[in-house]
Amino acid sequence: MAAVATTTTTTTINDSNSNKMGEADTLYEDLLNFLSSPRSDLRKAAAEATLAALSSTSNNNNNNNEAASRLTSLNAILPLCKIASVASHSEVGSNDALAALSILCSHDLVGNQCIVDFVESSRGVGRMLEIALSSPPTPPSTAASVAALAQEGEEGDDDNNKKNSKLAKEWNEWRKQVNYACALLANATRIEKGAVEFIGLSFPEEAVPSSMMKDDTSEEKDSNEDGAYGKRDTTKPTATLLLSRFLNPAFIDTSSPAFKLAVEAFSSSGGGGTKSGTGASGEQQSSSNDLDEYDSDLDNEALEEDDEIEAATSLEPQKVEPTMHENEYYDPYQHVAAVIMNITQLETGREFLMRLIHQNQSSKKKSSSGMDSIQEEGGNGNNNDAKNKKDTTTTSHLQSLLPQLTSPNLHRRQGIAGTLKNCCFSQDSIWWLLNVVYMDKSLLMTLAGPEELTIDEKVGLHPDYWLSGPQKLREPNPLVRLYVIEAILLLLASGRRARETLRERRTYVIIKLADMVEESEEVSERLLECVQYLRRDEEGTEEGSSDRRAYEKYARGMIMEDGVKNNLKMLPPSTSTDADDAVNTKNGDDSEDYDNID
């Protein structure tokens, strides 16, 4: 009888569980039908219910996984993308749909499948770009004044105060929606198909703002034809449009409490910390004069091969977690940094950032006569060509991103640091990165701290590293420091000439001081690998020749710049071999391959 009772009880529990599962299936199917309803009020209510099902169970992983799994199996991505809209975002449930999409695409269990469904849907990437590039409630230049007036008139009841408060609320809603859209784009570009689709999209000429259109001059046409990537069409890549929004500070709400907290946190953090068991100040005073702290005669077998370095420093696509707090929307385009970081894992993405942009200054000046275009016979054709070259400046999207390493926004710093690291994988661009972009300086500035340098350490070192004095702050986030150091490591592993260039610029001084106060073991290991590359002797050279050659070169460069005698020590005679002299002679020609010597 007991066995029969146990069997009956078990059967009853299984039946009740199956009934509950059946009710849950019916509930989620009805929810999906409401998401696809032709009535806007039902779609809005369904979007709110979807978000509630995903967010209210965040403390219970089992319930959260169940809700996400059921919605994914029912392909709820497509109807949620349809609800997302650039107009009436609060009236049709657009923000709720975007928040639900963000939670699904960043979910640990079903996130990858949701991203695939999102990219493969006809309204995924395109709809998010439409939202991210939508027009704000008022011109961007008035955003700061609208927020300030709204804060000043919160207690007033007149019409102007109400109008300003309404505009400020519309700006907050727009920032919130754009922030969600950029976060979804960041998650979509985690897979190769999403990144390729994002890079390949273009807007027609009619959709490009007039402020971003180039003058249609013959000089610019010639520069486009002479470019490394040929003549561009009349469409504007969406990546360019989104990048211009990312670099425009007018969209950031600087009056937001979250922005002020971010600035305060970034400016007050010491950065790097202190190694356990040692005092930062004491170790600095006792070791700042010791440039021989690391052995300069390291065994080459201890260094990793280039392919192992690339494997160890390979970057995973950055996943963006959903932002639910209201104060986190002050910077609507903060997640564009993660988008750029993800697309630069592809060669086409790196080419987009490093493609040269030719700007002809003389074409902007209007001439009252056409005499400038007339040339005398057998006259000054070459002089005019030289003048045109002098008036033409070149830049790139990558160079415009470098100041973001000092942004108070952590998302921006992390994304741009990872972007710079990805760009270092382009072996053919190493010379350009070091001698035109001066990427090493931007990277090392994040590692430089308030330590006082000796006179010997300042010799040959760029003054920007130490002119700020005690006010100079080291990057406080360990992930940003890791990306930066791995980028330097890739530059060092790219070839012998790159290593010689970094030695001449006294990279070792900044690396050494950063390692003294580094708390993260992973970051400290990367710093040690950089030291091994910087202090070792190149193959086929005498012991200590690398340090001596670097000292001679930057010392001679200082003498040539000053033009007068200084207090430098007498340079020892060079002990380099004939092979080294041949290499140094060859290094004088910057037009040759920068990485053919390893």
Side-chain angles (χ1 to χ4, degrees):
M1 292 294 293
V4 174
T6 303
T7 304
T8 304
T9 304
T10 305
T11 304
T12 304
I13 294 175
N14 292 335
D15 292 340
S16 62
N17 290 337
S18 62
N19 291 333
K20 291 181 179 179
M21 295 292 292
E23 293 176 359
D25 292 338
T26 304
L27 178 63
Y28 282 103
E29 289 177 359
D30 293 340
L31 181 61
L32 184 66
N33 293 332
F34 286 133
L35 288 173
S36 305
S37 173
R39 293 176 51 180
S40 60
D41 57 338
L42 292 180
R43 294 197 303 269
K44 178 182 178 181
E48 293 176 355
T50 304
L51 178 60
L54 292 171
S55 59
S56 63
T57 57
S58 58
N59 295 330
N60 192 329
N61 292 331
N62 293 331
N63 293 337
N64 181 267
N65 293 338
E66 180 184 356
S69 300
R70 291 182 180 275
L71 290 171
T72 304
S73 62
L74 294 173
N75 196 13
I77 297 295
L78 182 58
L80 287 173
C81 289
K82 291 181 179 179
I83 295 176
S85 174
V86 296
S88 302
H89 32 74
S90 60
E91 298 178 1
V92 298
S94 177
N95 285 341
D96 294 331
L98 289 170
L101 285 171
S102 299
I103 295 175
L104 288 173
C105 290
S106 60
H107 198 274
D108 294 334
L109 184 62
V110 298
N112 293 334
Q113 181 60 44
C114 290
I115 292 174
V116 173
D117 296 340
F118 178 81
V119 173
E120 292 181 350
S121 66
S122 58
R123 299 174 181 267
V125 176
R127 177 60 63 90
M128 295 307 112
L129 283 171
E130 183 183 357
I131 296 173
L133 297 175
S134 61
S135 300
T138 60
S141 58
T142 64
S145 60
V146 168
L149 292 174
Q151 286 186 351
E152 292 177 0
E154 284 181 353
E155 300 179 356
D157 295 332
D158 57 332
D159 295 338
N160 290 332
N161 292 335
K162 291 181 179 179
K163 182 180 179 181
N164 291 330
S165 299
K166 182 180 178 181
L167 287 177
K169 184 178 180 180
E170 291 178 357
W171 263 98
N172 291 334
E173 289 294 324
W174 179 83
R175 288 191 180 99
K176 182 177 181 180
Q177 192 176 31
V178 171
N179 186 78
Y180 276 133
C182 293
L184 284 168
L185 286 174
N187 286 325
T189 52
R190 287 168 54 195
I191 63 175
E192 184 176 359
K193 183 177 181 180
V196 171
E197 182 177 349
F198 175 82
I199 299 172
L201 288 178
S202 298
F203 273 13
E205 185 176 358
E206 293 80 6
V208 181
S210 58
S211 59
M212 300 182 63
M213 294 294 292
K214 293 183 178 180
D215 297 333
D216 190 13
T217 59
S218 58
E219 290 84 1
E220 290 181 353
K221 289 182 180 179
D222 294 338
S223 64
N224 287 335
E225 292 175 357
D226 295 338
Y229 299 95
K231 186 177 179 180
R232 306 295 296 179
D233 53 15
T234 57
T235 59
K236 198 74 171 180
T238 54
T240 303
L241 297 175
L242 195 60
L243 190 60
S244 65
R245 295 285 186 99
F246 173 73
L247 296 174
N248 190 349
F251 293 105
I252 303 175
D253 185 8
T254 55
S255 62
S256 170
F259 175 80
K260 296 177 181 178
L261 288 175
V263 174
E264 183 180 355
F266 180 68
S267 59
S268 61
S269 59
T274 306
K275 283 186 176 181
S276 58
T278 56
S281 59
E283 187 174 2
Q284 172 193 339
Q285 295 176 359
S286 62
S287 303
S288 59
N289 297 329
D290 187 12
L291 285 178
D292 297 328
E293 178 185 1
Y294 298 98
D295 186 8
S296 62
D297 187 20
L298 295 174
D299 187 3
N300 292 339
E301 295 180 357
L303 298 173
E304 298 179 352
E305 299 294 337
D306 290 348
D307 54 348
E308 295 178 353
I309 289 291
E310 292 186 2
T313 57
S314 60
L315 207 59
E316 292 293 331
Q318 186 168 358
K319 180 176 71 172
V320 175
E321 298 291 343
T323 302
M324 306 303 294
H325 199 275
E326 292 291 337
N327 292 332
E328 294 298 327
Y329 307 118
Y330 69 92
D331 189 354
Y333 293 102
Q334 58 186 344
H335 297 306
V336 176
V339 176
I340 301 171
M341 170 180 163
N342 291 341
I343 66 174
T344 50
Q345 297 197 65
L346 302 178
E347 185 177 358
T348 53
R350 295 193 290 269
E351 289 178 354
F352 162 74
L353 282 186
M354 295 188 287
R355 183 174 60 243
L356 296 181
I357 302 173
H358 301 275
Q359 298 177 346
N360 198 321
Q361 303 296 334
S362 61
S363 64
K364 300 180 181 179
K365 301 177 182 178
K366 295 183 179 179
S367 177
S368 59
S369 63
M371 296 299 294
D372 292 340
S373 61
I374 300 177
Q375 298 181 8
E376 297 181 0
E377 272 186 52
N380 300 326
N382 294 333
N383 293 335
N384 289 334
D385 292 340
K387 182 180 179 181
N388 291 335
K389 291 182 179 179
K390 184 179 295 186
D391 293 338
T392 301
T393 59
T394 58
T395 184
S396 64
H397 292 307
L398 179 64
Q399 291 168 278
S400 65
L401 294 175
L402 296 179
Q404 298 299 322
L405 285 175
T406 58
S407 171
N409 190 300
L410 178 60
H411 296 288
R412 288 177 175 255
R413 301 201 307 274
Q414 286 182 348
I416 298 307
T419 299
L420 298 181
K421 174 186 172 180
N422 287 339
C423 291
C424 293
F425 282 98
S426 298
Q427 294 290 322
D428 296 337
S429 304
I430 296 298
W431 183 92
W432 180 75
L433 293 175
L434 286 175
N435 298 284
V436 178
V437 180
Y438 293 100
M439 181 186 286
D440 57 306
K441 180 186 175 185
S442 300
L443 295 172
L444 291 173
M445 283 295 291
T446 63
L447 301 178
E451 295 85 3
E452 183 177 357
L453 303 181
T454 64
I455 296 179
D456 290 337
E457 290 172 339
K458 292 179 181 179
V459 173
L461 194 65
H462 199 284
D464 289 348
Y465 293 122
W466 46 269
L467 280 179
S468 298
Q471 288 74 32
K472 178 68 178 71
L473 297 178
R474 185 175 286 107
E475 169 58 48
N477 185 260
L479 183 60
V480 177
R481 297 198 302 272
L482 180 64
Y483 288 164
V484 166
I485 294 166
E486 288 181 343
I488 298 174
L489 184 60
L490 287 171
L491 293 174
L492 290 168
S494 62
R496 177 172 176 174
R497 295 184 183 179
R499 291 191 290 273
E500 291 177 348
T501 300
L502 292 173
R503 291 187 187 111
E504 295 161 9
R505 296 176 183 175
R506 305 302 305 278
T507 302
Y508 170 70
V509 175
I510 305 299
I511 296 293
K512 177 177 71 76
L513 294 176
D515 186 52
M516 288 181 179
V517 295
E518 182 57 55
E519 287 183 334
S520 173
E521 291 295 334
E522 187 177 4
V523 176
S524 184
E525 290 176 1
R526 294 301 186 197
L527 285 168
L528 180 58
E529 292 179 20
C530 291
V531 169
Q532 291 174 347
Y533 269 111
L534 289 168
R535 301 306 304 272
R536 76 170 184 179
D537 296 319
E538 298 294 342
E539 185 177 357
T541 60
E542 296 182 0
E543 180 179 352
S545 60
S546 296
D547 293 339
R548 182 165 52 252
R549 186 183 298 109
Y551 179 78
E552 291 179 3
K553 194 159 186 177
Y554 67 69
R556 289 196 180 101
M558 291 182 58
I559 295 175
M560 293 177 62
E561 289 181 1
D562 295 341
V564 293
K565 286 187 177 182
N566 50 32
N567 295 327
L568 289 176
K569 300 177 181 179
M570 181 65 66
L571 299 179
S574 177
T575 58
S576 58
T577 61
D578 295 340
D580 296 334
D581 295 337
V583 170
N584 293 335
T585 304
K586 190 176 182 180
N587 288 347
D589 187 4
D590 292 339
S591 63
E592 295 181 0
D593 184 13
Y594 198 64
D595 307 308
N596 60 351
I597 300 179
D598 292 326

